Amino acid sequence: MRNIKITYSYDGSDFFGFQRQPDKRTVQGEIEKVLKIILKSDINMVTAGRTDRGVHANVQVSNFYIDENITIPLKNFQRALNKLLPNDIDIYKIEEVDLDFNSRFQAKRRAYEYIITWKKDVFSRRYKTYVGKEIDCNKFLEILNPLIGEHDFNNFRLKDENNKTSIREIYKIETYLKDKNTMGIYIEGNAFLKTQIRIIVGTALDIYFGRKPENYIRLLLENPNEERKIEIAEPSGLYLTKVEY
């Protein structure tokens, strides 16, 4: 067997999320469909992270196994993939890796960027999240700072999440102006729960605009098993932007 690793990006706007679903257009489904055409067999990808419906990826990593008798040069393989894939997926790196490489379980760090704008723009609404008022980056960072470190993030995940543990560690959070009307939020950690980033951003926005008390994130972290109503930010502003091994 040969273990093939692909690194790619996608525009998540018109996908029903990453994970393969019956009768739904998904990122995994589209790539595996093309792999089957090229390789003449079913392929099951292993992937660093599964994004929600409407979420984008600047960097996504998957690996899959092919028969050792398939000797197609990797550059030709990459060219064939991109020729057959839809325009909202781009494979920009392909390589053969050790048989024991696993893109999901061997990822040491993952990072997301969330983009918020306070200027309405019909042409970018699929790629940013609009809020009605300007945000001060430094004040927003103060709200997010308690999340840094290892915590039980049970209050920052959907209840249908099937991970056995909700313990995760966030290494770094940054906020910055991308232009005078747009803010970026960078969050890096060892791994993230389902919809965790969108819940973090939604909660922080509620605090910033006075809909929740200033200490609300601390309350959620200190009382992880006390159920509270969660706020989920729109998927359009979210990008998987880093996977590190």
Side-chain angles (χ1 to χ4, degrees):
M1 299 295 289
R2 300 172 66 193
N3 192 5
I4 306 300
K5 173 187 174 186
I6 56 173
T7 308
Y8 53 104
S9 59
Y10 52 84
D11 175 345
S13 303
D14 296 324
F15 291 105
F16 284 82
F18 179 86
Q19 189 173 0
R20 183 195 319 113
Q21 298 181 55
D23 303 319
K24 295 279 179 70
R25 186 176 188 262
T26 69
V27 179
Q28 181 181 12
E30 291 297 308
I31 297 175
E32 289 181 349
K33 182 168 65 177
V34 169
L35 287 171
K36 184 174 182 178
I37 293 170
I38 297 171
L39 300 171
K40 313 299 183 187
S41 63
D42 290 323
I43 297 295
N44 184 27
M45 297 196 306
V46 178
T47 301
R50 297 170 177 173
T51 53
D52 295 336
R53 179 178 180 176
V55 174
H56 317 291
N58 293 320
V59 177
Q60 179 65 282
V61 180
S62 298
N63 70 286
F64 53 88
Y65 294 94
I66 65 174
D67 193 280
E68 61 184 9
N69 295 321
I70 298 174
T71 57
I72 178 174
L74 291 181
K75 282 295 180 184
N76 293 352
F77 195 0
Q78 180 180 353
R79 194 176 301 116
L81 279 168
N82 282 324
K83 183 177 181 180
L84 294 173
L85 282 168
N87 290 333
D88 43 9
I89 303 175
D90 178 49
I91 313 293
Y92 59 84
K93 188 176 182 180
I94 186 168
E95 55 195 309
E96 186 166 358
V97 290
D98 292 338
L99 288 175
D100 62 356
F101 173 80
N102 184 295
S103 58
R104 179 183 176 190
F105 293 116
Q106 290 180 262
K108 295 177 180 177
R109 289 173 178 255
R110 298 166 175 86
Y112 285 85
E113 183 181 39
Y114 197 93
I115 300 176
I116 292 173
T117 185
W118 40 91
K119 180 183 179 182
K120 280 193 174 180
D121 180 356
V122 68
F123 297 107
S124 64
R125 63 186 179 184
R126 287 157 49 117
Y127 309 110
K128 301 176 185 178
T129 292
Y130 172 76
V131 296
K133 296 179 181 179
E134 184 175 350
I135 292 177
D136 182 300
C137 288
N138 293 326
K139 290 181 180 178
F140 204 80
L141 183 60
E142 288 177 11
I143 293 171
L144 294 170
N145 272 335
L147 295 161
I148 295 175
E150 186 175 84
H151 302 284
D152 185 340
F153 286 98
N154 188 51
N155 280 318
F156 295 88
R157 66 171 173 174
L158 294 183
K159 296 312 175 187
D160 64 348
E161 170 70 57
N162 57 12
N163 279 291
K164 293 180 181 178
T165 177
S166 49
I167 304 295
R168 296 291 187 273
E169 184 173 2
I170 291 180
Y171 303 130
K172 181 192 298 184
I173 301 179
E174 297 174 348
T175 58
Y176 39 86
L177 283 176
K178 295 178 76 70
D179 61 48
K180 65 180 182 179
N181 300 305
T182 307
M183 178 180 73
I185 306 164
Y186 176 88
I187 303 179
E188 182 177 317
N190 60 348
F192 293 95
L193 299 159
K194 185 177 182 181
T195 318
Q196 182 180 346
I197 300 294
R198 291 171 59 200
I199 294 172
I200 285 173
V201 174
T203 303
L205 286 170
D206 267 3
I207 296 168
Y208 187 88
F209 290 118
R211 297 188 290 266
K212 293 285 193 300
E214 291 183 5
N215 66 338
Y216 193 64
I217 281 181
R218 292 191 184 276
L219 289 174
L220 294 177
L221 293 173
E222 291 168 1
N223 303 279
N225 296 314
E226 183 180 318
E227 280 201 24
R228 295 174 184 266
K229 185 177 183 295
I230 60 172
E231 299 297 330
I232 305 176
E234 293 294 321
S236 54
L238 184 58
Y239 299 74
L240 176 60
T241 192
K242 176 181 176 181
V243 181
E244 187 176 287
Y245 294 91

